[in-house]
Structures are given as C-alpha cells and as structure tokens.
Amino acid sequence: MKKIGLFHLILMLVLMISTTAPAANPFAIKLGVVTKPGAAQNIMAEKFKKRVEARSDGAYTVKIFHSASIGNETEILQQIQMGTIHMGVITGGPFDTFDPIVRVINYPFLFKDHDQADRILDGPLGDEILKSLETSGFKGLCFSENGFRNLTNSKRAVTGPDQVKGLKIRVMSSALHKAIWQALGANPTPMPWPIYTELEQGVIDGQENPLWVMEVYKFYEIQKFMTLTRHVYSPHINVASLNWFNGLPAADQTLITEAAVEAARFQRKDNREKNAARLALVREKGMQVADDPDVDAFRKRVAGLKDLDLYQAPRVQDLLIRMLE
Ligand code: EAX
C-alpha cells in the first residue's frame, strides 16, 4: 500500500473532526452499486477506482460495495445524501424520486442513438441536470451508461404494443417507468434490483433492460422472448455526497471528476462494443428476438406522457421541452 502524504493525513484528521455525518475517512471512498461484477455499473466503478487510486498516488482508495450489499438504489442514494457513503453509480429510475429532473433523461424515445445521447448528456443540458442534483445533496459528476432498454418476457412474442397488453412487467422503482408501461397497456410492477428469482418463479412475466443484463444475469435461461424496443436510453448518474465533495481540496475535486469522466468514456465504449456479441449469445441460447418491432406504434402510445403531472414542475417541463426540440 502506498503512503498517504502528510498533507492528506492532516486534512483527513481535520475533516474527520469537523464532519457531522461521518463516512469516517474522507480519502477512503465508499462507492455503492446494486449490480454484480461484470455489470455495466461495476465496470464503471472499477475503472473509476483504478484511475483515482493511480492518479492520487494512493492518497485515495475506493472500496466498491456491490450486489446491493449496502442496499437498493434508493437506499444507496439516501446514504449518499446523509454522507455515510461517498459515491454511487446509479441508474436513472429510482433517482427520479429524489429529483424529478431525472425524468427528463429517462423520457421514452428521447435519443435515437448513442451519438445523440453523448452529445446531449456531455453538453450543457446534461450539465444542467448534474447541477440540479445539488439541491438534493448530490454532486453529479458525469453520466456513464446502462444503455438502451429492451423488453423481454416469458409469455409471447411482442412486435408491437398490442401484444404487451396484460403482461406483468417489472419496472424500476420510478413513477415514470410505471407510467410508461401503463401507457403501453402492461401491468407494471415496481421492484428493486435484482429480479432473477421473481422472473424464474413467474411472479412477473417480463422486464426491460439493456443487452448486457441478459448476459451478466443469464436472463436467457428464464425469458423466451425479446423485443428490441430501445424505448428508454438509460444512463447511470455518477454521484457523490455533496458535503463530502465540497469539503475536499479543489485539486482533489478535479482529480475525482476527471477520473469519473475518463472512466465513463471507457465504460460507454466498452459497453457498446459488446452489444453485437450479446445479441448473438441470446439467440444462440434459444431466445426469440423481434429485432424490428413497430417502434412508431410504441412511440404513439407514450406520446401523452409529457403532459402528466410527473413533468409539471416548471423547471422539469422547461428542460423537457428543450430536450425534445
Ligand atoms: O442494471 O433496476 C434496473 O433495471 C437497472 O437497470 C439495474 O441497474 C440493472
């Protein structure tokens, strides 16, 4: 283990004494994800860990708490707010109860491809979202990705919204995701991650997630049908506890932010490069894939979402309008 510099040691003691909600040592970063090694979030977290530890020459360490070992995404976010853990790589879904602005980036069919997603999220509109999170106690660092979400189920082939009717679909703990699947005629059931057992036991018929989930969680064992709906582009928001982050020296804040941005760039590329092989894998495992569903029909069914209460807060509505332009 590398030695911690004297500067950081003194600072550590000062911060440990002065911080009211102690996540103990401010240089031993605790980071939470709900997914397991190999998952998109974990690839992001591991890359971040490497970069921060190398760049700071060991002054910072990162411990990754994965597989929901410190709680589901809502609980991780609460702990970050309180400052009892420092960071998280969190999907958009459960985040929207903490700040409704997050609903804007989870709007269905908002982005048509990865380039557009990157351009918007890495640009001023993305910055507005990250900045907004400060109101609820988070420092938003950057976006990495879960990816475009696709529907899977165990009951029947789905090529358009008509066949979705009545399917019991697990959705993230998010009012928006519930509303999307209600509008599509499904019977949406909000449930935190992971969900393998519920799918296996038939408590739910289906779920929706990006391709990597099929591989890492072996959903091809328990889901027969996949529809490439790409209905929501799902970013991860990389967040830190605002109090903790603001208490760090400016140079360290920059180091941490840059490490996160670099890791996110790596993770998005890595995730995208693997998608073709994942699609081949699920076919090989026997899943029936509808790769050209009636996306226009899906889109029409969810067109009214922007008028729901979910989007009525003025700053949320304003940003959504600008996003949809
Ligand atoms: O990556 O809860 C979800 O569906 C999320 O996409 C989860 O992070 C799996």
Side-chain angles (χ1 to χ4, degrees):
M1 205 171 82
K2 296 216 179 86
K3 277 216 195 89
I4 299 179
L6 185 62
F7 171 72
H8 280 105
L9 197 64
I10 293 170
L11 195 69
M12 177 172 103
L13 293 173
V14 172
L15 287 177
M16 280 172 75
I17 293 163
S18 66
T19 312
T20 41
N25 179 353
F27 305 114
I29 300 174
K30 294 182 185 166
L31 187 156
V33 293
V34 291
T35 42
K36 64 183 184 183
Q41 289 90 324
N42 300 60
I43 289 173
M44 170 67 205
E46 281 157 22
K47 197 68 171 179
F48 171 76
K49 170 182 164 70
K50 262 207 183 126
R51 292 264 197 241
V52 168
E53 292 181 351
R55 270 165 161 262
S56 70
D57 212 13
Y60 284 86
T61 56
V62 179
K63 183 163 170 53
I64 300 168
F65 294 86
H66 62 80
S67 307
S69 60
I70 50 167
N72 62 37
E73 289 194 315
T74 305
E75 291 158 349
I76 292 175
L77 286 171
Q78 284 162 347
Q79 292 171 77
I80 295 174
Q81 268 184 328
M82 291 187 298
T84 49
I85 70 162
H86 305 93
M87 292 182 64
V89 184
I90 306 293
T91 49
F95 221 134
D96 75 357
T97 49
F98 293 82
D99 185 343
I101 202 102
V102 173
R103 288 175 196 149
V104 174
I105 39 171
N106 282 280
Y107 196 78
F109 303 107
L110 179 65
F111 301 134
K112 64 175 191 307
D113 55 26
H114 291 130
D115 282 350
Q116 190 190 14
D118 291 353
R119 214 169 42 244
I120 304 275
L121 295 176
D122 295 343
L125 292 175
D127 283 347
E128 259 183 67
I129 291 169
L130 295 177
K131 187 82 194 149
S132 164
L133 303 179
E134 292 187 13
T135 329
S136 31
F138 302 106
K139 170 71 191 174
L141 296 173
C142 65
F143 301 98
S144 45
E145 77 164 21
N146 223 357
F148 281 101
R149 304 180 80 90
N150 297 304
L151 174 67
T152 69
N153 85 93
S154 58
K155 291 278 188 232
R156 54 183 172 262
V158 172
T159 55
D162 288 346
Q163 293 126 359
V164 170
K165 200 169 167 29
L167 284 180
K168 212 161 174 206
I169 305 292
R170 175 269 176 178
V171 294
M172 292 190 282
S173 310
S174 148
L176 169 60
H177 284 268
K178 192 167 176 209
I180 293 173
W181 289 95
Q182 249 152 7
L184 290 171
N187 185 358
T189 313
M191 218 176 255
W193 195 257
I195 57 168
Y196 187 98
T197 313
E198 289 78 1
L199 285 169
E200 189 183 26
Q201 293 175 347
V203 179
I204 39 177
D205 303 322
Q207 61 92 45
E208 42 81 59
N209 252 301
L211 283 167
W212 69 261
V213 169
M214 305 308 291
E215 182 188 15
V216 174
Y217 285 94
K218 296 193 166 75
F219 279 3
Y220 49 75
E221 294 175 346
I222 44 173
Q223 296 278 272
K224 177 77 186 155
F225 305 99
M226 176 171 214
T227 312
L228 300 186
T229 43
R230 294 166 64 90
H231 52 279
V232 169
Y233 175 76
S234 200
H236 309 139
I237 312 183
N238 291 276
V239 284
S241 151
L242 186 63
N243 276 341
W244 164 72
F245 190 84
N246 283 345
L248 298 175
D252 293 3
Q253 293 181 357
T254 306
L255 184 151
I256 286 167
T257 306
E258 285 178 1
V261 169
E262 285 167 16
R265 222 171 272 148
F266 168 86
Q267 184 272 335
R268 293 199 291 214
K269 186 162 179 281
D270 173 79
N271 194 35
R272 292 162 192 180
E273 280 169 1
K274 291 174 179 162
N275 276 340
R278 291 168 179 149
L279 197 51
L281 174 77
V282 301
R283 286 199 158 105
E284 190 189 303
K285 296 286 184 187
M287 282 189 84
Q288 199 177 306
V289 181
D291 48 16
D292 189 22
D294 189 352
V295 171
D296 276 344
F298 280 105
R299 200 190 299 265
K300 272 187 199 128
R301 298 269 175 110
V302 295
L305 280 175
K306 57 180 179 306
D307 305 319
L308 295 184
D309 282 352
L310 292 167
Y311 288 101
Q312 292 317 301
R315 68 196 182 92
V316 177
Q317 198 176 49
D318 168 65
L319 187 63
L320 181 65
I321 289 167
R322 284 184 285 136
M323 282 273 188
L324 290 173
E325 270 168 8

